Amino acid sequence: MPNPSRAHGRPGCSHPALKLLPALVLGCFAFQPLHAQTSGPATATAGPARTTQAAPAAATRSTAATSTAATGTGQTAPQSGTDDMATVEVVASRPTNKVDRDVYDLKNDISVSNASASDVLNNVPSVTVDQDGSVALRGNPNVQIMVNGKRDAQFQGQNRGDALNAFPAEAIESIEVINVPGAEFGNEGGSGPIINLVLKRNRKPGSRATLSLNKGTEDRYNSYLNGEYAAGPYSISGNVGVRRNARSTQRASQRQDLDPRTGDVVGGNESSGDGRFGSTSVTLASTLTYNVGDRDQAGATVSYSRLKNDTDNTGNTLRFGPAMAPTADFASRSHSDSPAENFGLGASYSHKSGEPGEELKFDLRYTGQTNDARNDVFYDYRMRPDRYTTDSIRITDRRTRILDVSVDYQRLLWGSWQLKAGAKYADNRSDNGTDYRALDPASGAYVPVPSRISQFASNDRTGAVYGTLSTKLFSDVQVLAGLRGEYTDLEVHQPLLAERDTYHYMNWLPSFYATKDLSNTAQLQLRASRRIARPNERDLNPNLVYLSDFSARQGNPDLEPVDNDLMELAYRDRFFGVDASFTAFKRRESPVIGNRSYALGTDPNVIVTSPINFGANDSVGMDMNFNVRQLFLRGLSANLGVTLANEKRMRISNFGAGDTGEEQKNRRENAKLRLAYQFLQESLQLSVNRNGRTLNGQGVNGAVTIANFTWMHRFSPQFSLNVNVNNVFRTGNNESYVENEVLRLHTLGTPQQRVFTVGLRYQWGGVTGDDRVRNGGRPGMFRGPQGNGRGDRGGNDGGGGFNGGGRGF
């Protein structure tokens, strides 16, 4: 087959205007940027375009025995009250719009004191998070999660959801949503949109601390302590958190096995069950910065977390054969323990030359995760078939280590051009093993089952260079062009098969942004970029990996990378006191990687999912956001975010190499409403999230609606009582449908029960006083002074600047 390796060319250096020529030329060969801020830099790389040697496939494989500028914007002040609480006003949060991202500040979200990262992400417009911590942005599940612009091992791979559910929201200063990532962002974690968690950092002299203690229903609790101190050239901050989560679920499924020739039902099963999931976590982190003279700064970070997940399930299953005659009837129970450890080490050094805008920065980050799990399953047969599954033990061991090294440089050129450039090397190593033992009825001993044992390891190495060039063309038009080059070498080792497969990717990825000010309040903004999603090691691993006794996953070593073309056009303005934004977006992925499901040939009771390239996925829609500072009553504010999208993709075929030729269509309607009301010492907040149905490769996932309520009572500016009610109306069924030539499957999960949490929060030090003074003379939820609409100061009116202000970059 022809070599699928492809190079995504650089933007053509055309000639629309003489002033654009330097940007396009340098954008073709320059490196990556980094903002000069104290918060952690950013990185990411990735790459497509691969070559492989020797192996059948649409990909050649050889068989043998950034750093980004995703830093925080504005200042990190702890939550603070006011001296005159009777005059405090709360407004709904709206984003600060920067050239390539939208920034959502959590400072005035009263629910954060006992919330996790998953909880606060679910309040961000266009972001959806389910109860397992799975994240999607505008319906796209291929989302990268970064911390201070860097990849973190705990938010990679299969255990990302557990980490998000355990990560304390109190540690997060703001959330950056990057729907159209630019040249400074790599593709190691995927090619889709990026969510960057900007953590709190100490930037002011003095000391301050915050303590929160919370207790919830069903054995839930959490506590969090954060402290900061800065004096002279030193600044240090640290935090420690403890959290216990628990939830109960009920589930049911109906499966029909189909004759692929006639479509007739030839068998199936019905199952139902109950589950209880518990998770206990401890997190610690610390950051130290030191100013080396007037122009240099050194920094170091360290973090550690430990999670222990425990799950108990009970269930009943009834199986049918032809003519729906019962063939098996049994009960099952299982228990699993899944401890995990995460760590992170980082060091940085920045140097400013003294020339305007010139800075050189080095950054090193090393993170890791170790996760061991054991699952014990027991069966009680009321009707036992001739061939049946016995009690079993499944043990998995996962180990991930990520090293990121980056250098970034920025300076002014020709007076009005800003160049940002850099290079990065990333090394991601992963080991995955599964040991499976089943009870031997004759001897009563657990013996290995070779067909269910697997082991594989991977090493993903990426080198990247990137650059952006920006300028103001006219008084009201600004542009930023970028190009990223990536080379990636991915090696997958399968010891049990004595095979080593190597994949090579080389790509050039352009990006472009333009902003035009239409008036003091109105702005038009264009964002466009190309991204690449390359298959991960799980998708490429050809071993059959059992996830349970009746479900397994088998990778496809011949998967191709996925091209992602992203574009959005946004209009923002203020109408009659309402901040409004309208963003039209388009996303095209091709060839899509999707999963097909089928019964295992050697054991039809096992459902196997396997990835395959097929067709294209198109999503076109509109994001709308409305922020009302005062609604009907003094102190009442509202924020409404709506996403409407038309999705289209081909249905995956279980036979042949791709799709069935049948097109799937879906209209997705997501909405998030947040109401906030404050009077005297009381603050109330109601959030309602509606996530519309989405397409999967062979069916649809149903819509989910959940409402959460928070009440905060301030005893003083430093001391408050917090009450949270999650899933107020006990809604939110999780429902999915899958149908193909051989299988029809319907699953239903009942909503998590209503959860009550009561907590206390106290802060020492920090800044108190009138919140309106700190927000440019009026109440607000944003850092920095009031913007003037032209980009020279950050604040409530701002939205386009690199520093969170005005209309500029």
Side-chain angles (χ1 to χ4, degrees), residues 677-697:
Y677 181 55
Q678 181 162 329
F679 62 98
L680 300 177
Q681 293 90 350
E682 316 303 326
S683 297
L684 306 175
Q685 181 175 294
L686 176 66
S687 300
V688 182
N689 299 329
R690 165 73 175 180
N691 301 324
R693 73 173 196 164
T694 58
L695 295 176
N696 56 49

Side-chain angles (χ1 to χ4, degrees), residues 8 12 300 312 394 400 468 490 499 628 785 802:
H8 299 280
D312 290 283
R394 183 170 52 90
T400 300
T468 65
L490 174 62
E499 185 174 322
V628 184
F802 280 162

Side-chain angles (χ1 to χ4, degrees), residues 226-270:
N226 174 70
E228 305 172 348
Y229 177 76
Y234 294 95
S235 171
I236 187 170
S237 62
N239 63 72
V240 58
V242 179
R243 174 177 292 272
R244 170 67 181 176
N245 288 327
R247 71 170 187 267
S248 300
T249 60
Q250 294 179 321
R251 64 194 183 282
S253 68
Q254 296 82 39
R255 166 187 157 189
Q256 293 179 332
D257 298 324
L258 308 177
D259 185 326
R261 296 168 299 175
T262 64
D264 295 337
V265 176
V266 294
N269 69 48
E270 295 180 356

Side-chain angles (χ1 to χ4, degrees), residues 53-69:
Q53 308 158 347
T60 339
R61 59 186 175 102
S62 58
T63 302
T66 79
S67 161
T68 83

